Amino acid sequence: MPSREKPYKPVSSKVNFPDLETSILERWREENLLRETERVRAGAPLFVFYEGPPTANGSPGIHHVLSRSFKDVILRYKTMRGFRPLRRGGWDTHGLPVELEIEKELGISSKQEIEAFGVEEFNRRCRESVFRYVGDWEAMTERAGVWLDMDDAYVTYHNSYIESAWWVFKRLWDQGLVYEDYKVTPHCPRCVTSLSSHEVALGYQENTPDPSVYVRFPVSEAQSANDDVGGFALPAPQRAATLSKMGFIDGRWTAPRPSFIAWTTTPWTLTANLALAVGPAEQYVLAESDADGERVIVASALAERVLGEGWKAAAEFSGADFTGVQYDAPYVSPSLRGHTHRALPAGYVTTADGTGVVHTAVAYGAEDAELGKARGFETVHTVDLRGVVADGFPGAGKFVKDADADIIRDLDERGLLFRDASPYRHTYPFCWRCGTPLLYYAKTSWHIRTTARKEEMVAGNRAINWVPGHIKEGRFGEWLRNNVDWSVSRERYWGTPIPIWRCADHPEHVAVAGSLADLAERVTDETRPLLDGLDLHRPFVDRVELRCECGGVMRRVIEVADAWYDSGAMPFAQWNYPVTVKGPGGAELTLNGVDDLIASPLFPANYITEAVDQTRGWFYSLLALSTLIAGKPSYESCLVLGLILDGNGEKMSKSRGNVVDPWSVMNEHGADALRWYLFTAAPAADARRFSSDLVKETLRQFLLTLWNTYSFFVTYANIDGFDPSAHAAYWKDGQAGSPALASAPPNELDRWIVSELNGLAAAVAADLDALNPTGAGRRIQEFVNLLSNWYVRRSRRRFWKAENDDDKAWAHRTLYSCLLTLAKLIAPLTPFTADEMFRNLAPDGAARSVHLEDFPEPDASLVDDRLNKAARLAMRIASLGRNARSRSGVKVRQPLSRVLVHLRPEDAELLPLVAPQILDELNVKAVETAEADAVAEFSIKPNLPVLGPKLGARIGEARSAVAAADAATVAGALRSGSRVEIGGFAFEPGDLLVETADKPGVAAAADGALIVGMDVALTPELRAEGVAREFVHCVQNMRKAAGFEIEDRIVTYVSGSGADGGSAEETLAALAAEEDYVRQETLSGELRIGEPPPSAAHAGEREMDGATLIVGVARPRREDVE
RNA sequence: GGGCCACUAGCUCAGUCGGUUAGAGCGCAGUCCUGAUAAGACUGAGGUCCCUGGUUCGAUUCCAGGGUGGCCCA
């Protein structure tokens, strides 16, 4: 075998992965390896990735390592597949979380306090705080082996980003997709601001007591003839029929005036009641009290629950019958002009709770507002933004929750309180900052009319490759189908200012700026100087005034944009136009604006990934804005990740104190171990429990096994001077270390692992193409297990052999192929270990780093499924054989004459393929197929607890029939699952118990239809061989104890002990018969049988073969050598 | 209250396109092997495959309902 000039760097099986990784990182930094991968792929097609920008106002947690790892693995893989990924990082810098952080620092918690403090300084601090943890983030990202362009990251607070976000906004405006409207939002009356849905979710409290009142809404005496209210009233004749059925005839009541009964937990909202909603398809009953003849209207399904006993049904209606029926509201705001209170149908009314009649206050409920909007009602407030009830109502001047009691008392006094069932306990949202109960409050805000393009979004979603697939039509599709317009404005400070200027004199005069140039065009002379070096944030931009067409002065509206608007605009806003970028094939590409971008290959992204909580966050804002701006989604594939839970299955959060610091894990076990765990422990989309112990298990199970195999190879490759470049002809196209060989190896073991390897390489590529690193990793893990625990285990002796023959060369070549290919296969998943292995193993002419290499190209013609099956059969047989040996107490060291195998006919042909492996593994001279009854004794007996109830009295007859039957035949049939007939009885497999027992001289074990029997009969020759192997084992241990090197040649002494000299004769004779074998195995230049060891030797007494021997080992004396 | 997902051994997870005896790793108990040795092999204990009903010759698997947990939304 030709020698390699440079030996491989020795690989200790004791490895400290964290230390190894930090030194590799150092190397990558020195080599600027990330840039190098881009240089190598300069002419390649692009693979476009969009980074979902994290907010860097906290230290990164383990879940950030999760998403970053899944970003990285696909980008590394695509690089190796010949693409040049665009992997620009980004930071999300605006929004309430940032403001809150600063509020906390300043010890303030309301808008009034912020304004008093000064918006300019407040925003300055926000800007400063955002990057407080950026160093942590960058360090974590690098340490985790994640390659993102952090130097060139986009930042949402940069002027250029905001300006592009404005451009997008203007484009929306020009399409008529932006409007101002009342919208009911969760509102904190103490902080005087809306809360985002995320914030609301933080503040839900269970078992909150609230009032629970049932209120009378008497059907009105005056029923207007005007049927055209909102176009929804019933035609007069039909309404007249309904009223007449109620007893309202010719303008007067012929029976006690009935009342609708509605239920509410917020009595204060009754001050703003505008309508009663009924379910058009629900059934209602007009019930009459037995006690006093009162008549009320409630849903039939709820009548008993609401009314209790003592009522009888006087008439029945459907909800639709009530349409347009007028009633007398308990309170009428003076500011309400010409409004008629009516019952109206609404789809959201159910009979799940309440009365089936829903009190509707347009200003204080989302569904209420919807109804009001549909009917064209005006939004009338009876409570101010601080939650204080207006004059003219009970409880005026009080906070709403305190006014409730006044209102209930007033209702009671006026005979409108039907029933007070307070308190009602339910889950209610509170402000998570100050603990004030939130009010649902209608306010004007700016909206993006996403519903106008809903069908386009739904269609675009169909084209997205969601992983896992159920997100597409499930969580995300469901969300899209229920799309509502996007309330995009926030009355806050640190955000992208909404670029709308409004005339001071004519509020309907509005201008939208899509750029600084737009501002310059219309800016007033007085404020023009401000444009020079203008910071687009508040309060600076607020000072810029524009000229209105009417001659007036326009000022910016006060709101800033929702931070989701920023991130959703990211595909368009991340570039500072005009910008020149390297496109596909390395060609320079100049983008002058968003339209150029949309037409370029930089849009849409080929791949994005984030956790599942982004479904309604970033995934949505991306899709919405790109559908409205570009007419299609901004991402083609989306991998959705599950959340990480703590060891108890609870969500990690700072407040629970169960957050795992990624540094502690990476410092202890290494980034690769953590990555491998994150990739393989659970399907990417599933919520997963994290524990450091499981990372450790991963390390031992996978990385250390691989490392041991690698270490084994390097040890022997160095001893033998194996140089793959000298064997290039054995690989297809001379690609040393490729899984594709020029021809299949002669040795069936090599042929098998090469078959597995080629199958693996194809499957891993398919998995990674399908965005499934979990599947890829699990396959690789299984392969490494086979490689280590079968291939290497079975091949060890081939590497030990002193002589350099062809078989040994094949073993080297095969293991080399496996390890070099593995290094490439794992490179995207565990970039450190992969690069370390690759750099040591790489053949001449290979790239400097595995990350500059191509992904392995397997050769399907080398995949042999029969051989793969056969190898697994061999493993099962070996396992059963060891089992049989173990139970009969015959050690593996003791050679046996043969192993008997009974197997399914279809497997019989596989046996010859792997017979040599079985012989060696089980230490037998022959493997023979055999009938079941030649391998083991079977006995059958009735399973009485089962058969008893079935057969009753005939059980005795059955027992004798079973006893007379041929046990082996019956057992065979039962094992294969079929029914057996014996003496007129039909037995199912469960009816009879089959027991196996060893035949004399054969130790057997069975697994399903496979039965393996070891012939344990010993001939004198076998016994002698056994003794020799036992002796070799003993000498090896002594060599090691004596501290000899593996290649040291020694002199070995063996004799009977003084006390036992006689009985050792036979054992010594057996050793003499195997002298050559013993000397060769132990590297003993001399084997001195019967000679006691000299005092210089390492010696000791050993029990062996029933005798006591004195065994000694020594290095040869100098004079013996000379 | 709605949507999506999950539920298999003590723990973390495979698997079953409906079919013979449901698996792995870890942990536990024991044995062996060892020139990969801070590895490795074998054995044992440990399972109502969340529950109920339906479809079927047959359901852990398919369907429906329910339960528990997670996420998202009300």
Side-chain angles (χ1 to χ4, degrees):
Chain A
M1 202 184 289
S3 276
R4 196 172 189 252
E5 296 203 352
K6 265 188 312 184
Y8 299 96
K9 185 173 76 184
V11 177
S12 166
S13 60
K14 294 164 193 162
V15 57
N16 181 318
F17 282 106
D19 288 351
L20 178 69
E21 289 170 0
T22 47
S23 71
I24 293 171
L25 272 178
E26 188 56 37
R27 201 155 59 201
W28 288 354
R29 264 196 296 264
E30 281 166 16
E31 296 173 350
N32 208 354
L33 192 58
L34 174 55
R35 293 288 158 263
E36 187 65 10
T37 67
E38 286 165 0
R39 202 188 55 73
V40 167
R41 304 292 178 192
L46 288 183
F47 184 77
V48 180
F49 166 77
Y50 290 163
E51 152 101 316
T55 312
N57 72 334
S59 292
I62 202 89
H63 53 296
H64 296 113
V65 180
L66 175 79
S67 56
R68 268 165 147 57
S69 297
F70 275 87
K71 290 170 182 178
D72 188 59
V73 64
I74 298 300
L75 299 182
R76 286 183 183 272
Y77 170 68
K78 288 293 175 181
T79 304
M80 294 179 79
R81 295 289 280 189
F83 292 87
R84 181 166 60 87
L86 234 61
R87 39 160 61 104
R88 191 174 190 201
W91 300 108
D92 187 19
T93 55
H94 283 149
L96 217 42
V98 182
E99 293 192 22
L100 293 176
E101 185 102 351
I102 302 307
E103 283 187 32
K104 212 182 295 167
E105 270 174 39
L106 296 174
I108 61 178
S109 61
S110 75
K111 289 170 68 177
Q112 295 91 319
E113 287 168 297
I114 293 171
E115 309 236 350
F117 176 78
V119 173
E120 180 173 344
E121 174 63 11
F122 183 79
N123 272 359
R124 196 189 62 75
R125 293 194 183 210
C126 284
R127 177 196 302 253
E128 207 178 74
S129 84
V130 172
F131 283 148
R132 204 169 289 172
Y133 294 92
V134 79
D136 282 4
W137 275 83
E138 286 175 349
M140 176 279 280
T141 305
E142 187 194 30
R143 180 62 189 86
V146 173
W147 274 351
L148 283 175
D149 284 333
M150 310 283 283
D151 302 340
D152 187 31
Y154 64 88
V155 177
T156 58
Y157 76 55
H158 282 171
N159 260 12
S160 67
Y161 196 100
I162 293 174
E163 203 184 352
S164 295
W166 280 10
W167 187 96
V168 169
F169 197 86
K170 177 84 161 36
R171 174 64 66 92
L172 296 174
W173 176 268
D174 290 345
Q175 295 180 74
L177 294 171
V178 178
Y179 65 95
E180 187 181 28
D181 194 15
Y182 267 107
K183 185 179 153 122
V184 173
T185 55
H187 173 87
C188 174
R190 204 196 72 89
C191 303
V192 196
T193 184
S194 300
L195 269 66
S196 71
S197 58
H198 174 70
E199 291 173 292
V200 175
L202 290 174
Y204 278 106
Q205 283 186 23
E206 290 174 6
N207 286 320
T208 303
D210 262 321
S212 169
V213 293
Y214 293 82
V215 181
R216 293 189 180 96
F217 293 80
V219 176
S220 185
E221 299 273 0
Q223 293 291 338
S224 156
N226 177 10
D227 289 318
D228 196 27
V229 175
F232 286 88
L234 268 189
Q238 287 182 42
R239 188 149 52 91
T242 300
L243 288 165
S244 139
K245 200 164 154 192
M246 290 181 183
F248 186 74
I249 296 161
D250 294 337
R252 46 180 289 273
W253 290 101
T254 59
R257 178 152 73 118
S259 297
F260 290 106
I261 304 295
W263 174 68
T264 183
T265 58
T266 50
W268 62 272
T269 62
L270 291 168
T271 57
N273 174 274
L274 288 187
L276 291 175
V278 292
E282 303 291 346
Q283 289 302 307
Y284 290 81
V285 62
L286 174 65
E288 193 177 313
S289 166
D290 297 338
D292 57 9
E294 177 180 11
R295 299 198 304 158
V296 298
I297 299 165
V298 295
S300 307
L302 293 160
E304 198 181 326
R305 213 192 299 172
V306 175
L307 304 175
E309 300 290 307
W311 295 78
K312 60 173 178 287
E316 299 225 322
F317 301 87
S318 80
D321 294 337
F322 298 132
T323 305
V325 168
Q326 289 171 233
Y327 65 92
D328 295 334
Y331 304 101
V332 179
S333 171
S335 58
L336 205 51
R337 292 178 301 269
H339 178 82
T340 308
H341 290 83
R342 294 174 183 270
L344 294 167
Y348 57 80
V349 177
T350 68
T351 53
D353 56 13
T355 65
V357 179
V358 178
H359 144 62
T360 298
V362 171
Y364 305 120
E367 290 173 327
D368 311 44
E370 209 176 287
L371 184 73
K373 193 188 286 182
R375 304 301 192 272
F377 295 166
E378 58 181 315
T379 303
V380 173
H381 277 293
T382 54
V383 164
D384 70 13
L385 282 164
R386 294 170 300 133
V388 174
V389 176
D391 286 344
F393 299 105
K398 291 188 183 176
F399 182 59
V400 289
K401 293 286 174 186
D402 302 319
D404 277 344
D406 298 280
I407 289 166
I408 293 171
R409 195 177 320 117
D410 179 66
L411 290 171
D412 196 19
E413 285 166 4
R414 293 164 56 200
L416 295 175
L417 182 66
F418 181 73
R419 185 148 71 90
D420 184 350
S422 307
Y424 176 73
R425 291 181 182 278
H426 59 159
T427 305
Y428 194 84
F430 289 77
C431 176
W432 65 282
R433 285 182 286 173
C434 64
T436 306
L438 299 182
L439 309 182
Y440 287 92
Y441 199 98
K443 288 187 283 195
T444 59
S445 59
W446 295 93
H447 295 78
I448 298 176
R449 202 184 306 278
T450 54
T451 49
R453 307 280 283 276
K454 177 172 150 184
E455 292 314 312
E456 256 184 88
M457 288 198 287
V458 168
N461 177 43
R462 287 204 191 98
I464 295 170
N465 173 33
W466 287 98
V467 179
H470 62 76
I471 300 284
K472 179 187 290 199
E473 294 303 331
R475 183 177 283 217
F476 197 65
E478 204 61 43
W479 163 252
L480 287 181
R481 279 187 286 278
N482 296 320
N483 185 255
V484 295
D485 287 344
W486 181 356
S487 165
V488 74
S489 59
R490 299 283 180 269
E491 319 96 291
R492 299 297 311 191
Y493 308 95
W494 179 238
T496 295
I498 300 269
I500 298 177
W501 271 258
R502 166 174 268 161
C503 181
D505 304 325
H506 305 90
E508 67 274 22
H509 294 174
V510 167
V512 173
S515 64
L516 270 164
D518 285 357
L519 288 188
E521 203 173 301
R522 297 187 66 165
V523 69
T524 60
D525 292 339
E526 294 76 41
T527 60
R528 180 176 299 279
L530 296 175
L531 293 188
D532 186 28
L534 177 68
D535 178 346
L536 294 182
H537 286 96
R538 298 187 67 187
F540 311 104
V541 71
D542 300 339
R543 296 173 188 152
V544 174
E545 295 176 346
L546 304 186
R547 283 175 280 109
C548 185
E549 282 157 356
C550 72
V553 170
M554 308 182 93
R555 299 201 180 83
R556 199 186 72 81
V557 301
I558 209 66
E559 291 95 342
V560 297
D562 178 5
W564 292 115
Y565 176 83
D566 287 0
S567 56
M570 163 267 159
F572 315 112
Q574 67 168 323
W575 305 105
N576 184 10
Y577 307 102
V579 65
T580 300
V581 292
K582 258 207 268 168
E588 300 239 311
L589 207 61
T590 299
L591 308 175
N592 289 309
V594 174
D595 286 323
D596 284 356
L597 172 89
I598 291 169
S600 81
L602 273 60
F603 180 90
N606 298 112
Y607 172 63
I608 63 172
T609 178
E610 300 294 337
V612 67
D613 55 356
Q614 294 299 323
T615 310
R616 281 139 201 219
W618 195 51
F619 298 155
Y620 172 68
S621 63
L622 272 182
L623 176 69
L625 286 182
S626 70
T627 302
L628 300 180
I629 294 296
K632 62 177 174 182
S634 47
Y635 48 99
E636 291 172 347
S637 284
C638 182
L639 173 58
V640 183
L641 303 173
L643 277 93
I644 297 193
L645 312 174
D646 72 4
N648 299 319
E650 294 196 27
K651 193 180 179 181
M652 286 186 187
S653 72
K654 273 186 200 165
S655 59
R656 283 204 184 90
N658 57 357
V659 175
V660 174
D661 173 17
W663 286 101
S664 67
V665 181
M666 292 193 291
N667 287 340
E668 191 180 351
H669 306 301
D672 275 352
L674 175 57
R675 287 172 64 119
W676 194 262
Y677 166 78
L678 292 174
F679 290 138
T680 60
D686 286 10
R688 65 193 60 217
R689 295 188 181 193
F690 182 87
S691 81
S692 188
D693 283 349
L694 292 172
V695 176
K696 184 176 166 187
E697 188 185 318
T698 281
L699 178 70
R700 287 187 38 204
Q701 197 60 40
F702 174 67
L703 281 178
L704 275 179
T705 306
L706 175 62
W707 193 265
N708 276 334
T709 309
Y710 164 57
S711 163
F712 174 90
F713 170 80
V714 167
T715 302
Y716 289 97
N718 275 342
I719 289 173
D720 294 324
F722 172 73
D723 178 4
S725 305
H727 298 249
Y730 288 88
W731 281 282
K732 203 176 191 176
D733 307 323
Q735 298 287 311
S738 147
L741 303 184
S743 62
N747 180 308
E748 97 283 346
L749 199 58
D750 293 339
R751 210 159 55 238
W752 163 69
I753 200 72
V754 164
S755 163
E756 295 279 1
L757 180 68
N758 279 279
L760 175 75
V764 166
D767 278 336
L768 291 176
D769 282 334
L771 305 180
N772 179 12
T774 306
R778 284 177 170 175
R779 283 178 204 284
I780 292 169
Q781 197 159 305
E782 176 59 22
F783 176 84
V784 166
N785 183 43
L786 291 175
L787 180 70
S788 169
N789 292 333
W790 193 253
Y791 178 79
V792 170
R793 176 186 162 81
R794 292 272 17 94
S795 296
R796 268 186 296 204
R797 297 192 79 83
R798 301 165 68 196
F799 290 94
W800 297 341
K801 282 186 295 198
E803 65 276 22
N804 278 332
D805 63 6
D806 197 42
D807 179 63
K808 183 174 186 172
W810 271 111
H812 273 299
R813 292 192 283 257
T814 303
L815 186 53
Y816 181 78
S817 289
C818 290
L819 289 169
L820 195 70
T821 301
L822 274 173
K824 294 180 183 179
L825 293 178
I826 65 173
L829 295 104
T830 50
F832 298 103
T833 311
D835 208 26
E836 177 65 21
M837 286 174 58
F838 179 83
R839 288 181 192 237
N840 198 19
L841 296 176
D844 298 343
R848 176 169 23 164
S849 162
V850 72
H851 303 295
L852 302 170
E853 284 278 318
D854 288 344
F855 211 64
E857 288 292 343
D859 180 348
S861 72
L862 290 168
V863 177
D864 182 343
D865 286 330
R866 255 176 91 241
L867 192 53
N868 293 353
K869 256 198 228 169
R872 279 166 181 75
L873 180 65
M875 290 173 216
R876 277 175 76 206
I877 291 172
S879 173
L880 290 169
R882 279 194 297 262
N883 179 357
R885 271 183 177 272
S886 152
R887 287 193 299 104
S888 64
V890 184
K891 293 183 175 181
V892 177
R893 268 199 294 273
Q894 174 61 59
L896 294 174
S897 61
R898 57 184 187 143
V899 55
L900 301 172
V901 179
H902 173 71
L903 70 184
R904 293 191 302 195
E906 62 266 35
D907 288 341
E909 54 138 6
L910 299 175
L911 197 56
L913 295 177
V914 288
Q917 298 174 35
I918 295 169
L919 295 183
D920 202 41
E921 186 67 23
L922 287 178
N923 194 17
V924 292
K925 305 295 180 192
V927 52
E928 296 171 11
T929 55
E931 290 304 314
D933 55 3
V935 183
E937 299 273 13
F938 294 92
S939 59
I940 49 174
K941 58 181 190 183
N943 188 359
L944 293 176
V946 173
L947 279 180
K950 280 192 192 177
L951 298 178
R954 297 177 66 206
I955 193 87
E957 200 185 324
R959 290 177 83 159
S960 5
V962 169
D966 177 53
T969 312
V970 175
L974 292 175
R975 276 187 181 281
S976 63
S978 40
R979 194 178 298 202
V980 175
E981 242 179 85
I982 307 170
F985 293 93
F987 293 102
E988 306 284 334
D991 293 344
L992 298 176
L993 297 175
V994 180
E995 289 173 351
T996 55
D998 287 349
K999 286 176 83 78
V1002 179
D1007 173 24
L1010 182 65
I1011 308 168
V1012 174
M1014 306 295 296
D1015 183 344
V1016 291
L1018 285 186
T1019 62
E1021 291 76 20
L1022 288 172
R1023 196 186 70 83
E1025 280 184 44
V1027 169
R1029 293 189 56 154
E1030 182 75 23
F1031 183 72
V1032 166
H1033 168 59
C1034 163
V1035 171
Q1036 302 289 31
N1037 283 342
M1038 294 185 81
R1039 281 183 62 116
K1040 204 191 294 180
F1044 296 166
E1045 297 299 321
I1046 287 175
E1047 60 274 15
D1048 279 350
R1049 303 191 77 80
I1050 58 166
V1051 179
T1052 301
Y1053 304 85
V1054 58
S1055 57
S1057 75
D1060 193 23
S1063 67
E1065 287 304 321
E1066 238 178 279
T1067 307
L1068 292 179
L1071 286 179
E1074 296 284 335
E1075 182 181 346
D1076 286 348
Y1077 167 78
V1078 171
R1079 286 180 49 204
Q1080 192 185 326
E1081 286 294 307
T1082 59
L1083 286 187
S1084 297
E1086 291 177 59
L1087 175 60
R1088 303 205 175 166
I1089 297 174
E1091 185 176 331
S1095 54
H1098 288 81
E1101 279 194 358
R1102 294 289 186 277
E1103 295 291 331
M1104 201 176 299
D1105 191 35
T1108 307
L1109 302 180
I1110 297 173
V1111 183
V1113 295
R1115 288 206 183 87
R1117 284 165 299 175
R1118 188 166 299 274
E1119 52 269 31
D1120 291 347
V1121 176
E1122 288 161 0

